Amino acid sequence: VQLQASGGGLVQAGGSLRLSCAASGRTFVSYVMGWFRQAPGKEREFVAAISGSGIRTYYADSVKGRFTISRDNYKNTVYLQMNMLKPEDTAVYYCAASAAWDVSTLTTYDYWGQGTQVTVSS
């Protein structure tokens, strides 16, 4: 599986962005998809995840109520809608694919995209 993230950019605090992650391969529906982020000088952290069917979702407390993860299995794409953005959301955002539902653990994920930069100005 190859993953290509896009949609990052510069936005003011309180604004919105939608990230996309396009996946190659015919088995996209069998993968749990997750979003992680990494700010300068910090470890990569879990943001959100969604099951293969799209029925189950899981969020980090820091983004709950502001971010929404979704997927379109016909387009082999997962999305992260980010609303009410804060300066502390500034990071490189990565999408990843996992065969297991241990969603907040980095090592669970088998495939990673290249990352897209999100910068939120105050």
Side-chain angles (χ1 to χ4, degrees), residues 20-52:
S20 299
C21 176
S24 64
R26 295 175 292 177
T27 59
F28 178 71
V29 69
S30 66
Y31 287 96
V32 172
M33 297 299 297
W35 285 97
F36 288 75
R37 65 187 182 187
Q38 188 166 18
K42 295 188 176 181
E43 294 186 350
R44 193 170 299 189
E45 65 175 6
F46 170 77
V47 175
I50 188 167
S51 63

Side-chain angles (χ1 to χ4, degrees), residues 48-63:
I50 188 167
S51 63
S53 65
I55 293 175
R56 297 174 68 185
T57 56
Y58 186 68
Y59 296 92
D61 287 343
S62 59
V63 306

